[in-house]
Structure formats: structure tokens, C-alpha cells
Amino acid sequence: MNNQDNLRQRLLQLDDSSYRAYKDIKGNYKFPDFTLIIDRVQGDPFASPSQIRVQLPHVVANFPSNLYQTRSREIALADYLTRQLDHAAMEVSSRRGTGNSGLIAITQIGQSVLERTSILIKDEFVEARLVVGLPARGRRISGYQAAEMLCEDIPKLVDKALKYQSLNHKQIQWQVETIEDADWLRQQLAQRGLVAFIANGSILPRRSGVDDRPLVEEAVAFQSPTQLQVEFNCPNRGLIKGMGIPVGVSLIVGGGYHGKSTLLRAIEVGVYNHIPGDGRELVVTNPAAFKIRAEDGRSIAGVDISPFINQLPQGRSTTNFSTPNASGSTSQAANIIEALEADAQLLLVDEDTAATNFMIRDRRMQQLIAKDKEPITPFIDKVRQLYTDYGVSTILVMGGSGDYFDVADNVIAMENFQPKDLTEKAQEIAQQYRIERTPEGGKHFGSITPRVPLAESIDPSRGKRDVKLKVRNVDQVVFGSEDIDLGAVEQIVEAGQLRAIASAIVYAKNQYINEHNTIPEILERVMGDLELLGLDILTSFPEGNLVKFRRFEFAAALNRLRTLKVR
Ligand code: ADP
Ligand code: MG
């Protein structure tokens, strides 16, 4: 194998050659402490940067094995190292010429702790994946700069961010234990009859709509009302207390600007773990929770929305409903049915982003517009059936309509950012002020029929390329010649998830999408493969920018592909 000196010599020889000559350095190099692998070399200084890996044997990295011996701990440690490497890379990264010359970077990360391909802890070594902008002057190679980057800066980075001896042992331990506790808590929820838990002392508000870090100064820490308080004895942290939200139908009520949506948002992202200091590290939610909202304009492919929508104008079918341009209520209906198809167990709805006519239909409106003139059966008449027929719970932010008191098991009121249990009071009020509306939901929710997606309707190719995928932030992905808009799929928290989802759709098409497999069967297989074999099965060579996603977000992306056809 070539070594560090060979690489340096080659780079110096390449100085001033045309940029393409960099292709020559692809390969493996033995450094004193690690192996450097150059997987992909960019074609010009402005193209997306080159991809490299370093593999550091455990004897060198030297992490005590208890820091990565379980899956939970391994993900926590890898996440910690990703963050360290990110900081260190930002420090050493510097402009070294045209385009992205000099860039050293790792995948973008947020507040969640997720399985990612940026750092992998394998049996023999720790592997880190980076992108580097190979330096150029104009379109000529800067060999000296490149040698400095790859042969000096990279080893410095490795020393700083990937060796146990140079890292903060206490912090690592804390990260690993925090994540382990959160995973443990999430696992306990079902047997305790809960769908979510928010620990006392949690900080739920964020700095701003574009800054997901915790609000610092004016933040009011969360404190459970006594009626809903539960205790857990965590493996690391020991005894903690907080609010448990039971299974069934729960309302979050309260005045405007009192913290309702902030609480729901924390519950939404409670399907993921968060770094210590985030404020939501002990907020955990049933992992099969899915945020439901109205999303007018989305496309829908052959969904049976008849539990909610019937008798549309022009006799349009609602048992096999397709449209390139859904309304607020039909989109929300489809979002629910698709979530159920993917086996969601908890629906999260916020009045801020729900369609009013989907949520309520009061007595006066029932009088004015007869049932046979209104295609929509409102959610209020279906939400209990979801629980009794399918065991699917709902948490609903609803400050605007007391009609829901009749169907709620729990009513939590937010008052000055603190929760109160107003269940009894709401039930008294429901008795005292009967609303006398006519229930319109029938006896049962209705059936969920899994769809079979057709392979020919899923085409990732564009022009001469068989597969063209490109991710724009967390809300859009280019899939062949289609754009998939995921702006309304709110539990996608990192762009890397979307990158992985796009590749997973291609993977699913090649492996499992045929004339027979239903969407739930396809989800089961894809997620099973990822669990067993890791995210690397999704790409042709090891990439550092893939992040684990849930079955629900995979289904959401597939469902929003505008060419999708189903049987
Ligand atoms: P609602 O949905 O009840 O109208 P929001 O959840 O949108 O209210 O919160 C309103 C504002 O209050 C937001 O700017 C939010 O960041 C802030 N906020 C929410 N919870 C807290 C809290 N616990 N401490 C301080 N500020 C908070
Ligand atoms: Mg709100």
C-alpha cells in the first residue's frame, strides 16, 4: 500500500498540472496512525468536493469498549465524534484557492442524535468520512497546498477529534448515558400506557424559527401537573419525574401564545434523541408518532380517504382517490390514511396547521349544510374510532373549539408555558353545555387497504443518467426529473435523512417494488435491510452524508412523488 510520503510526493509532482490529474490520487494510503482512503476525486475546483475516509484502528483511537458496546451507545458515541470532527474541521478548513479549495467538512448536523454514515464504529476501527476541496489556482493543481491539507491537516484532525486521549472523557460518558436513558425511557412508554413523556426541567422553546438550539434566558422550564406526573428509574440518571401523556385522545388547550405548539413540537421530535444540553433530551415519544397537517397542493395517488371524505362533486371516487392538487381537507385525510398504512400508532395534530373544515363541523353548520351536501366527516367524529378500532392515539393542539371535550380522555392546558391538567373541568363543562351536534362518523373508522406501488411510475433517471438525486435542505429532493416537496413533513430534521430516503426509494424500486408488494411490506423490508446491513447499502461507495430515517418519512416521500401510481 502507498503511504503518507508517497501521497505527498505525488501531490507535489502534480503541482500546476491540469485539475483533472488529481484523479490519479484515488486509492489507499498508510499513515502512521490510520489509513487514508480517497474514494472520489472531484472533476474541477467548483464541483462538489472530493470524498475521503480515515480508518483509525481501535488500538490507536482507544475508546473504552463500554462506550460503544450497545447499539444505543454506539450511535451516541459516533454522534459525539461527528460533532467534534465538525468543530475541528471548521477550524483547520481555510480558503486555499479557487472554488471550494481548502474545504474540509463533515455532514451537516442538528440537535438530534441519529445514526449517520459520517462516523462508523466498526469491529476493527473507527471510520470517519469527510469531504475535501482539493486546492487549485484557477484550474491548475496547487500541489503544495494539497499536500499540506491531506498529509498534515488531516492527521491533526484525527489527533484532535478521533482519539480518546484528546477528548473530554466526562462529556463523552454523559452523552452516551443520556442517549441510553432516552432510549430506555422510550421503550418503557408502552408498558406504562403512555405515548409521550416530558421530564420536569425540560426546556422546550427554541431560540428562533430558524435556530433549533434551546432558548436560554427567558425559557420557563417544564413542570408536570401532579395529576399527570409519572416517575422513571433510569439506568444512568436514576429517578426522574415528568408528565406522562396516556394513550387515547389528548387535547392541548390554552390561550394563544401560551406554549401549546412548542409542547407539541417537542413531542414530535421526541421520536429522536437529543444531545445533552438541548433541553429536550428527556422528552420521548412513541417511535411510531407521526405529525399530521393540511398540505394543500400535494399530489395523492390512489388513497382510500373514504373514512373522512365521501360523495365529492362530479361523483369522484374517494375509495381510490388521486389528484395532482389536493385541498386542505383531502390532503389532511390522505396524510392520516397514509400514516395508518405505514403503521403509525400516534397522530400529532396542531390546529395552526390543520384544515378547520377537516377538524370541526358544529351544530349550526350541520343545520345549514346537510350531511349529504358535505363530503367531509370531521376528525372529531373519527378520532375516538381511531383509538377503539386501531389502537391509534392522538395528541391534538386545539385552543379554538371546546367541541373536542366530548371525545378527549385528557385535557392539558398550557398557561404561561406551564401545563395544567384540566380534564375534570373540561368534562364538567361538556356535561353542562351540551353541544347537541349530531355525530357523523358512523360505527367504525373504516378499513385501511394497503396499496401496491407500480415500479414504472418511479423513475429516478434524468437524461443520460440512470439515477439523478439531489437534496435541497430538509424540504426538497430532486428525484430524476421530479421535485419531491417535503416541506410539510415536519419530522425530517436533517438533510442527510432526505438524501438517504431518496436513495432508499431507488433501492426499494430495485429490490422490492414489483406487482405484488404493498407499501407496508416494502417499508418492512427496506427498514429491515437498513437495520441489519446499515445505510451503506444505499450507495455505490461509502458516503458520509447519509442519516437514518423512519419508515414514515420514507413513505411520505414516496407518497409525494407526483408520478406515483398504485394498484
Ligand atoms: P401557542 O401555540 O400556544 O400559540 P407557541 O408554542 O407558539 O404558543 O409559543 C409562543 C411563543 O412562546 C414562542 O415564541 C415560543 O418560543 C415561546 N415559548 C414557548 N414555550 C416557552 C417556554 N416554556 N418558555 C419561554 N418561552 C416559551
Ligand atoms: Mg400554536
Side-chain angles (χ1 to χ4, degrees):
M1 196 195 297
N2 279 303
N3 62 28
Q4 185 179 10
D5 290 329
N6 305 139
L7 177 62
R8 185 182 290 119
Q9 277 160 19
R10 263 198 215 176
L11 289 167
L12 297 183
Q13 281 160 8
L14 287 173
D15 188 57
D16 217 33
S17 307
S18 105
Y19 199 86
R20 290 240 144 218
Y22 263 137
K23 296 274 178 198
D24 191 42
I25 64 167
K26 210 172 131 174
N28 297 13
Y29 301 89
K30 190 95 202 79
F31 280 54
D33 277 349
F34 57 88
T35 305
L36 173 71
I37 303 163
I38 303 176
D39 283 312
R40 192 185 64 84
V41 177
Q42 63 203 106
D44 80 77
F46 297 90
S48 51
S50 306
Q51 288 164 270
I52 65 168
R53 281 181 287 158
V54 298
Q55 291 176 343
L56 194 62
H58 282 302
V59 284
V60 181
N62 210 20
F63 291 95
S65 60
N66 69 356
L67 292 176
Y68 58 88
Q69 83 216 140
T70 65
R71 189 84 186 105
S72 180
R73 289 184 162 225
E74 182 190 335
I75 292 172
L77 176 62
D79 174 273
Y80 186 85
L81 298 180
T82 299
R83 290 166 200 277
Q84 296 307 308
L85 194 59
D86 183 46
H87 289 153
M90 266 192 283
E91 275 170 25
V92 298
S93 184
S94 61
R95 272 196 70 80
R96 284 184 155 128
T98 35
N100 51 41
S101 291
L103 172 81
I104 303 179
I106 193 155
T107 191
Q108 270 178 359
I109 42 181
Q111 293 289 104
S112 307
V113 176
L114 297 162
E115 178 189 344
R116 302 187 188 84
T117 57
S118 49
I119 303 258
L120 296 166
I121 297 162
K122 306 244 187 173
D123 288 346
E124 312 84 46
F125 49 75
V126 175
E127 178 173 301
R129 299 174 182 180
L130 297 145
V131 295
V132 294
L134 294 172
R137 292 182 299 271
R139 289 187 190 272
R140 307 227 142 243
I141 289 176
S142 282
Y144 290 85
Q145 301 268 19
E148 205 173 77
M149 260 181 95
L150 294 178
C151 302
E152 285 162 41
D153 291 350
I154 296 294
K156 267 190 231 151
L157 266 184
V158 169
D159 278 343
K160 221 172 154 178
L162 295 177
K163 291 185 179 168
Y164 186 58
Q165 66 189 53
S166 34
L167 296 165
N168 183 327
H169 298 183
K170 273 216 174 100
Q171 268 185 17
I172 298 180
Q173 187 73 27
W174 189 229
Q175 160 113 352
V176 163
E177 291 184 355
T178 301
I179 299 313
E180 189 168 61
D181 280 349
D183 278 335
W184 179 86
L185 277 170
R186 200 175 288 103
Q187 264 174 19
Q188 298 296 305
L189 290 175
Q191 67 202 68
R192 298 279 289 266
L194 302 174
V195 287
F197 171 78
I198 302 108
N200 291 344
S202 293
I203 300 294
L204 309 185
R206 302 293 98 189
R207 274 185 215 176
S208 81
V210 291
D211 186 345
D212 199 36
R213 290 172 302 167
L215 183 69
V216 246
E217 268 156 30
E218 293 111 39
V220 177
F222 190 88
Q223 180 66 41
S224 172
T226 45
Q227 299 94 323
L228 292 172
Q229 185 153 295
V230 292
E231 291 182 3
F232 286 99
N233 199 354
C234 298
N236 301 303
R237 216 178 269 248
L239 191 72
I240 61 165
K241 296 178 183 182
M243 182 172 89
I245 301 184
V247 295
V249 179
S250 300
L251 296 188
I252 299 173
V253 302
Y257 216 75
H258 277 256
K260 302 184 297 296
S261 297
T262 303
L263 171 58
L264 191 75
R265 179 62 187 164
I267 295 169
E268 279 164 46
V269 295
V271 300
Y272 303 124
N273 294 330
H274 290 90
I275 49 171
D278 172 80
R280 301 168 299 187
E281 54 270 50
L282 298 175
V283 178
V284 293
T285 305
N286 181 317
F290 193 69
K291 174 70 182 288
I292 297 295
R293 52 171 285 171
E295 190 184 348
D296 54 313
R298 66 158 285 194
S299 63
I300 296 173
V303 177
D304 180 353
I305 55 172
S306 66
F308 292 109
I309 318 275
N310 284 287
Q311 294 172 309
L312 285 175
Q314 305 175 328
R316 279 183 73 143
S317 159
T318 61
T319 54
N320 177 9
F321 182 73
S322 298
T323 176
N325 188 9
S327 67
S329 54
T330 51
S331 64
Q332 197 169 346
N335 286 350
I336 292 175
I337 304 292
E338 288 167 350
L340 298 174
E341 183 182 41
D343 209 13
Q345 287 161 30
L346 171 64
L347 305 183
L348 305 172
V349 188
D350 191 330
E351 62 184 344
D352 289 352
T353 49
T356 306
N357 62 344
F358 183 79
M359 300 306 292
I360 46 181
R361 189 163 129 77
D362 64 16
R363 186 182 177 194
R364 286 183 173 165
M365 200 53 82
Q366 287 182 330
Q367 297 302 317
L368 188 67
I369 308 292
K371 173 82 180 111
D372 63 353
K373 296 280 184 318
E374 170 55 274
I376 303 167
T377 302
F379 191 62
I380 190 170
D381 291 324
K382 286 291 181 186
V383 66
R384 285 227 67 83
Q385 299 170 349
L386 269 176
Y387 186 61
T388 47
D389 293 359
Y390 290 114
V392 173
S393 297
T394 297
I395 300 176
L396 172 61
V397 170
M398 181 49 85
S401 170
D403 286 8
Y404 270 90
F405 295 171
D406 287 329
V407 294
D409 298 303
N410 309 286
V411 180
I412 299 161
M414 292 305 286
E415 203 179 296
N416 295 314
F417 310 130
Q418 287 296 7
K420 278 189 168 174
D421 183 353
L422 291 189
T423 308
E424 273 182 30
K425 193 160 178 203
Q427 280 165 358
E428 277 167 33
I429 291 171
Q431 289 300 320
Q432 201 176 345
Y433 303 92
R434 314 289 314 175
I435 51 175
E436 288 164 8
R437 61 185 291 283
T438 317
E440 298 178 338
K443 281 216 164 49
H444 289 286
F445 181 81
S447 55
I448 311 291
T449 320
R451 297 165 297 158
V452 175
L454 301 180
E456 65 269 20
S457 69
I458 302 164
D459 181 8
S461 75
R462 176 139 148 195
K464 281 189 226 123
R465 296 176 60 176
D466 287 342
V467 176
K468 166 76 185 171
L469 306 174
K470 192 172 166 62
V471 167
R472 302 200 180 101
N473 208 344
V474 294
D475 46 26
Q476 210 182 45
V477 54
V478 176
F479 189 88
S481 32
E482 293 292 313
D483 286 348
I484 307 178
D485 186 356
L486 291 145
V489 182
E490 295 175 1
Q491 287 160 300
I492 296 176
V493 292
E494 286 187 13
Q497 292 181 304
L498 212 40
R499 224 169 270 121
I501 288 170
S503 302
I505 294 178
V506 179
Y507 176 85
K509 173 174 170 159
N510 295 335
Q511 303 284 329
Y512 300 123
I513 298 184
N514 51 31
E515 296 291 302
H516 311 285
N517 286 333
T518 62
I519 288 184
E521 285 164 350
I522 293 161
L523 295 176
E524 204 59 43
R525 302 219 164 119
V526 171
M527 300 315 288
D529 288 359
L530 289 174
E531 209 48 53
L532 205 64
L533 305 165
L535 289 158
D536 279 343
I537 57 169
L538 300 177
T539 48
S540 55
F541 68 90
E543 305 220 27
N545 57 10
L546 302 179
V547 180
K548 189 69 180 289
F549 53 87
R550 301 185 309 156
R551 54 195 291 144
F552 305 101
E553 283 70 36
F554 174 94
L558 183 63
N559 285 323
R560 283 159 184 75
L561 178 62
R562 288 184 174 273
T563 52
L564 182 69
K565 295 250 172 343
V566 301
R567 224 200 24 228

